[in-house]
Amino acid sequence: MTKTRTLAALVMAPLAITAVLLLPTPWMAAVSAAAFLIALWEWLKLTDIEDPIARGVLMVVNLMLMVALVWASRSETGGSLVLFQIMTMIGVGWWCLATLWLRFYDFGSDHARHGRVFKLAAATLSIIPAWCALALIHASQPHGNRWLLLALAIVWAADSGAYFVGRKFGRTKLSPRISPNKTVEGLIGGAVAGMIVAVAAAPLAGASVGQLPAIAVVALWTILFSVVGDLFESLLKRHVGVKDSSNLIPGHGGVLDRVDSVLAALPVFALGKLLFDF
């Protein structure tokens, strides 16, 4: 399994980096929309919507929301990203509420009653703002593609740091009922790793030395919210008793398993970038 997981990562990582660095923003938005919609398909399955037609309809609705945002952002001068900024702020607000949801494990677990409705709303509030944030970061000038790669690298570094530190030093469970393997020590190790990557790589994206403290703060919050995204998907899987969102990616589970942290992290990073103007 470890060999398969490594080989899959060696294929996926270069493809993702190449797409971020070389694709123009419209194409990057299209590629990411496809990936996020696959993640949405898996999310809908975790809400016990087994009918492929029903899931397909819900996916089309979310796709149309993306199309509507692009269409409404057009103007005679080339377009505006205000709607994307608004959706990004909505996404940050949603993930703050998701943090509260994590404290109440059983909330939404009864899919025969109200639980499914809340999780369907959560799906849209996770997918659409993350997609808007991704496009917003990539479209920023100058070097938006580098800033997006930095945002992703922060999440990747935090995830790897948390894994290795937690495996070696982990003692205190972070959320034993939702994700028994996560530890406070791993969280701290991941935060340190992610912030080091942020400060070290930010100059390559065009940041000045004076901007590094603000970038470190934004990186910390990005990492903390990425953990919320990871835990929230774990909560969804716990409610239905599955280990992975699908088996689409060998050794890695589904697309949602790979982007759960990113869904929460991107709106936070994008909002921080706007507020601190870096």
Side-chain angles (χ1 to χ4, degrees), residues 27-66:
W27 280 102
M28 187 65 216
V31 170
S32 61
F36 284 0
L37 288 172
I38 294 173
L40 175 63
W41 177 270
E42 296 171 349
W43 187 308
L44 296 175
K45 187 176 181 180
L46 294 180
T47 63
D48 280 336
I49 299 179
E50 298 292 343
D51 184 3
I53 295 178
R55 270 194 275 170
V57 170
L58 290 169
M59 283 187 64
V60 169
V61 169
N62 282 271
L63 174 60
M64 294 308 296
L65 283 174
M66 294 176 175

Side-chain angles (χ1 to χ4, degrees), residues 58-215:
L58 290 169
M59 283 187 64
V60 169
V61 169
N62 282 271
L63 174 60
M64 294 308 296
L65 283 174
M66 294 176 175
V67 173
L69 284 166
V70 173
W71 181 81
S73 297
R74 297 182 308 165
S75 70
E76 295 181 356
T77 58
S80 169
L81 292 173
V82 172
L83 289 177
F84 283 70
Q85 294 171 352
I86 292 173
M87 288 304 303
T88 295
M89 290 187 288
I90 290 173
V92 174
W94 147 245
W95 285 110
C96 289
L97 289 176
T99 304
L100 182 62
W101 189 334
L102 293 176
R103 294 192 61 187
F104 300 94
Y105 176 87
D106 292 322
F107 181 79
S109 60
D110 186 358
H111 295 168
R113 304 176 70 181
H114 61 274
R116 183 181 288 128
V117 175
F118 287 115
K119 288 179 179 177
L120 292 178
T124 297
L125 289 170
S126 300
I127 297 295
I128 303 299
W131 176 74
C132 288
L134 182 149
L136 194 62
I137 298 169
H138 198 273
S140 62
Q141 296 295 330
H143 308 311
N145 55 347
R146 298 182 190 178
W147 283 110
L148 177 58
L149 183 59
L150 177 62
L152 296 174
I154 290 170
V155 177
W156 296 338
D159 185 57
S160 298
Y163 175 77
F164 288 110
V165 173
R167 189 174 182 179
K168 187 170 182 62
F169 302 105
R171 296 294 183 272
T172 309
K173 299 297 184 182
L174 180 65
S175 183
R177 196 173 184 188
I178 296 175
S179 187
N181 292 329
K182 285 186 171 54
T183 63
V184 174
E185 293 82 2
L187 173 61
I188 295 172
V192 171
M195 292 175 69
I196 289 173
V197 168
V199 173
L204 299 177
S208 64
V209 174
Q211 292 174 320
L212 294 182
I215 291 171

Side-chain angles (χ1 to χ4, degrees), residues 231-245:
L231 286 174
F232 193 81
E233 197 225 352
S234 294
L235 179 69
L236 296 177
K237 292 188 291 188
R238 288 278 173 182
H239 281 175
V240 294
V242 298
K243 183 179 182 293
D244 298 315
S245 60

Side-chain angles (χ1 to χ4, degrees), residues 5-29:
R5 185 182 181 91
T6 302
L7 289 174
L10 289 174
V11 172
M12 292 188 297
L15 288 176
I17 293 170
T18 300
V20 170
L21 292 179
L22 299 184
L23 290 179
T25 299
W27 280 102
M28 187 65 216

